[in-house]
């Protein structure tokens, strides 16, 4: 399908739609904190463009994914939009609600739904309405995206939002079929801040850590599980080699007891007393100075990072 879509046609076909609602769907770009398992990527796709973007999103978020599969699959004839095809007829029928083959086991476990679909005549395919109307999305956040030949997301998400007005609809985004994984990841990062599952144990003691949201921490997460043999240095820290290189964005800083930093030549340091140097901060252990002293003021410790 190589035709470039003109704008006038979708607007004529769906003149009842209100483009105004698009901006009402939330242009303020809030960043939502989500933990693992709270996000679902749900999508509909016939020719696999939306599927590709959805899979990038799922990989980036480490989330669950659900494909909206029609009970009656769309054949090439069904989407031949230059003819009186099934897709065109559905888009022109206000009441069309194509049936979905399988349903989501439990929507209540998700707080955020990243919802993807192709643009059909300027709007979401009617099966998206079938999906939205099948569940209770009250209080959930929906982040829509679409793929298209050329049309923007326009009023498509705002019109869908009318079928689930109790959800918090964020401003949607259009991707071309050739969008990169990085483009999708950057878009998601602007909306969804994923909490890391990384756990720290020092000498087998599990610790409460606030991790930074930066490239160095993301690189560490990819190396889990990671064990570092640390030794005491200078009367203020334990330090040891990571074993391979992680990104750095060093700045001169005053560290306090509990701080975890990337230091020097790919080492990690954890502090039990104050110090000043050029570091990349990785996180902070939520313990007092005497507790940090008790934990680290010894010749060596084992520093273990684990996933969930
Ligand atoms: C029935 C139909 C209508 C379409 N209408 C538009 C349109 O209005 N604007 C546009 O840019 N692309 C339009 N397209 C192209 C699709 O949006 C585009 O190819 C999309 O990436 C397909 O996604 P998929 O591969 O996930 O099914 C239309 C395609 C079909 C089948």
């Amino acid at each position: 399908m190589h035709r470039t879509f003109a704008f006038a046609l979708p607007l004529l076909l769906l003149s009842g739609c209100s483009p105004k609602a698009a901006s009402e769907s939330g242009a303020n770009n809030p960043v939502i904190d989500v933990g693992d398992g709270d996000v679902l990527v749900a999508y509909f796709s016939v020719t696999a463009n939306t599927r590709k973007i959805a899979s990038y999103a799922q990989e980036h978020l480490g989330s669950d994914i659900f494909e909206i599969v029609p009970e009656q699959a769309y054949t090439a004839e069904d989407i031949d939009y230059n003819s009186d095809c099934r897709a065109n007829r559905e888009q022109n029928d206000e009441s069309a609600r194509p049936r979905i083959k399988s349903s989501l086991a439990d929507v209540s476990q998700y707080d955020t739904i990243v919802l993807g679909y192709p643009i059909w005549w300027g709007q979401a395919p009617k099966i998206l309405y079938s999906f939205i109307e099948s569940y209770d999305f009250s209080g959930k956040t929906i982040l829509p995206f679409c793929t298209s030949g050329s049309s923007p997301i326009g009023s498509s998400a705002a019109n869908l939002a009318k079928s689930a007005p109790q959800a918090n609809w964020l401003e949607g985004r259009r991707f071309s079929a050739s969008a990169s994984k990085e483009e999708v990841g950057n878009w998601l990062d602007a909306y969804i801040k994923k909490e890391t599952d990384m756990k720290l144990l020092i000498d087998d003691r599990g610790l409460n850590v606030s991790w930074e949201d930066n490239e160095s921490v993301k690189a560490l997460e990819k190396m889990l599980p990671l064990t570092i043999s640390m030794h005491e240095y200078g009367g203020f820290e334990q330090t040891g080699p990571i074993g391979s290189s992680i990104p750095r964005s060093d700045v001169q800083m005053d560290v306090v007891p509990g701080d975890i930093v990337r230091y020097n030549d790919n080492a990690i340091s954890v502090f039990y007393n104050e110090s000043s140097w050029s570091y990349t901060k990785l996180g902070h252990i939520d313990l007092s100075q005497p507790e940090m002293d008790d934990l680290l003021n010894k010749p060596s410790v084992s520093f273990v990072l684990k996933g969930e």
Side-chain angles (χ1 to χ4, degrees), residues 258-280:
D259 279 349
I260 307 168
V261 302
R262 181 210 170 281
Y263 166 58
N264 207 8
D265 200 14
N266 286 304
I268 289 184
S269 293
V270 197
F271 294 86
Y272 64 96
N273 274 319
E274 291 173 0
S275 178
S276 286
W277 197 255
S278 186
Y279 302 118
T280 303

Side-chain angles (χ1 to χ4, degrees), residues 30-42 61 63-66 104 106-115 131 137-144 167-170 187-188 191-194:
V31 175
I32 312 153
D33 271 309
V34 291
D36 204 28
D38 290 345
V39 189
L40 173 72
V41 175
L61 296 165
S63 66
D64 291 349
I65 190 159
F66 176 74
L104 266 172
D106 179 15
V107 87
S108 68
Q109 63 182 300
Y110 304 108
D111 295 330
T112 306
I113 290 99
V114 178
L115 184 63
F131 177 73
F137 290 108
S138 312
K140 304 203 182 291
T141 295
I142 301 181
L143 179 58
N168 170 32
W169 288 76
L170 302 178
W187 167 67
L188 289 167
Y191 288 92
I192 299 176
K193 184 171 175 288
K194 192 173 175 297

Side-chain angles (χ1 to χ4, degrees), residues 4-81:
T4 305
F5 278 81
F7 270 106
L9 199 43
L11 288 178
L12 274 177
L13 277 164
L14 294 136
S15 52
C17 302
S18 150
K20 180 173 158 268
S23 60
E24 287 167 359
S25 65
N28 46 354
N29 189 13
V31 175
I32 312 153
D33 271 309
V34 291
D36 204 28
D38 290 345
V39 189
L40 173 72
V41 175
Y43 73 97
F44 169 65
S45 179
V46 178
T47 51
N49 295 339
T50 312
R51 177 177 299 126
K52 188 177 81 175
I53 306 297
S55 70
Y56 288 163
Q58 186 260 328
E59 282 169 37
H60 185 81
L61 296 165
S63 66
D64 291 349
I65 190 159
F66 176 74
E67 180 175 0
I68 301 166
V69 179
E71 214 170 78
Q72 185 193 346
Y74 288 84
T75 62
E77 221 170 47
D78 288 341
I79 58 163
D80 178 10
Y81 53 78

Side-chain angles (χ1 to χ4, degrees), residues 266-306:
N266 286 304
I268 289 184
S269 293
V270 197
F271 294 86
Y272 64 96
N273 274 319
E274 291 173 0
S275 178
S276 286
W277 197 255
S278 186
Y279 302 118
T280 303
K281 189 164 176 189
L282 301 174
H284 181 81
I285 300 168
D286 184 22
L287 288 178
S288 65
Q289 194 281 330
E291 287 169 315
M292 286 309 302
D293 191 278
D294 195 41
L295 189 67
L296 300 181
N297 192 359
K298 56 185 82 159
S300 61
V301 295
S302 105
F303 177 101
V304 176
L305 293 174
K306 283 185 175 168

Side-chain angles (χ1 to χ4, degrees), residues 33 37 89 91 105 152 155 190 196 200 223 235 256 258-259 267 274:
D33 271 309
R89 286 197 305 273
Q91 292 308 93
S155 58
T196 174
L200 170 62
M223 296 164 72
V256 296
D259 279 349
E274 291 173 0

Side-chain angles (χ1 to χ4, degrees), residues 81-236:
Y81 53 78
N82 287 317
S83 67
D84 177 33
C85 67
R86 172 184 164 200
N88 287 7
R89 286 197 305 273
E90 286 173 0
Q91 292 308 93
N92 277 316
D93 177 358
E94 200 52 54
S95 64
R97 294 293 184 270
R99 291 169 70 96
I100 299 172
K101 202 169 181 176
S102 55
S103 39
L104 266 172
D106 179 15
V107 87
S108 68
Q109 63 182 300
Y110 304 108
D111 295 330
T112 306
I113 290 99
V114 178
L115 184 63
Y117 53 87
I119 291 287
W120 282 4
W121 298 114
Q123 296 298 321
K126 285 291 164 61
I127 198 165
L128 266 292
Y129 288 80
S130 313
F131 177 73
I132 286 295
E133 291 165 8
S134 300
Y135 304 97
D136 180 9
F137 290 108
S138 312
K140 304 203 182 291
T141 295
I142 301 181
L143 179 58
F145 76 89
C146 70
T147 65
S148 73
S150 62
S151 297
I153 195 159
S155 58
S156 65
N159 283 325
L160 263 183
K162 290 176 192 163
S163 288
Q166 310 84 350
N168 170 32
W169 288 76
L170 302 178
E171 193 182 10
R173 155 92 188 250
R174 181 235 171 211
F175 289 97
S176 75
S178 60
S180 67
K181 195 171 172 179
E182 195 187 2
E183 211 178 322
V184 176
N186 288 342
W187 167 67
L188 289 167
D189 286 348
Y191 288 92
I192 299 176
K193 184 171 175 288
K194 192 173 175 297
E195 285 167 8
T196 174
D197 301 325
M198 195 155 65
K199 306 267 176 293
L200 170 62
L201 293 98
I202 293 182
D203 285 347
D204 295 328
R205 175 173 169 191
L207 298 159
N208 220 347
V209 181
S210 312
W211 294 105
E212 294 292 303
D213 179 19
N214 61 29
E215 293 308 309
S216 313
V217 172
K218 282 183 193 146
L220 277 180
E221 282 182 279
K222 294 195 178 125
M223 296 164 72
L224 303 182
L226 179 68
T227 299
I228 300 176
S229 301
M230 294 190 159
H231 63 272
E232 204 282 335
Y233 178 80
F236 46 82

